[in-house]
Amino acid sequence: MSSYDIHIGRLINGRRGYDGQGRFWVCLPDQQIVETDDIANYRGRFVSSKEIEDLLYHFCLDCIREFSETENNRDVYTFSIYTDATHGGFIVYMNNLAELNKSVQAAYDKSRSNYPERNRTMEQIYHDYQFSEGDYSFMYDGIPEPLENILNVYYCVSLEQPYNLRIDTPYIFDKSIVDSQLYMIAMEVIRRLQDDFQGLNRTDNFIAYVSSADGDGGDYLTLGSLIRKCVPTDRLYEAMPLLKEKDDALKQRIDSVKEKSIEEQYQYWMSSISGGEFSDFSLFPFWRTGYQAYELLLELGHSILPAVTEQLKTEEDPDIRYVLGALYEDIRSQS
């Protein structure tokens, strides 16, 4: 299992604060990175999350304006900010129905010609391509220099690679920014862009959202959490009917588990978290991560605290110990 799913899920859903609050990374031109809680004696370029947000917002705004002035500005059905919170990166993607249909037709023709035994239908390929950013015709990765400079330093801090620093002046980062805060920044930018999207000729079911890099959570983090924080459920289901099918199937699974005793429910959802992607208890087939199971455990409330406490006494796996500790803390904080 990975406790990361729980850790990032708690952050995105407001169940914990940022790690590292009150501490700072000071990045020096001599390729040192110093962690400190006192920056009074340092002079340099202070980087705040608000500055990153403003720079990203204006980058997205420029992308929208540039795209809106082209002949491609018709039937735009999606806008996304692809976010890499580990390496420090943003890419803006857009697509329209004409380009989507063109890509689907080309893929269908290629599949029939090269792999006729697969017998893939146009509908299946359409589903695969509709929200596959890597297959979009419109990608904007030319990050403006002020933001690019910050992200280059962020990369060195996040991956603990001071030897890759190439700076002439010290950069001072709030340490909490490195705690996946780029996702929260990107989501706030999506919120700020709502009026600006009027510059796009959009479809009725247009959606704009934040997506996650593969090494950071990928489609499961995107579909399980990020996109749901950006798009109202009814609009999301209209744009992604297969997501509704997955949610309906998950609800049936949840309802069946609720028929079990509290102890059995606790064991079931803990097995879902600890068993990994391919276990019988996994929620990955529903396009969800272990965080959804964590939320279901929280719904069981104080009744499972004795079981949590008992398991903590003997549990040796650090990932599971993190989940148990977080579960105990979050349940105790509930009214």
Side-chain angles (χ1 to χ4, degrees), residues 6-20:
I6 312 302
H7 195 61
I8 185 63
R10 292 178 72 220
L11 176 67
I12 292 171
N13 289 277
R15 294 196 176 276
R16 70 171 178 87
Y18 294 111
D19 289 344

Side-chain angles (χ1 to χ4, degrees), residues 7-8 44 53 57 62 68 96 104 109 138 142 148 152 178-179 182 208 221 223 228 260 265 273 286 300 328-329:
H7 195 61
I8 185 63
E53 177 191 316
Y57 169 74
D62 288 343
S68 67
N96 63 29
V104 170
D109 292 341
F138 311 105
E148 183 179 26
N152 286 339
V178 187
D179 181 21
L182 294 191
L221 178 58
L223 297 174
R228 298 170 190 269
K260 303 176 183 290
Q265 291 182 58
I273 292 171
F286 304 101
L300 297 176
Y328 184 87
E329 176 184 325

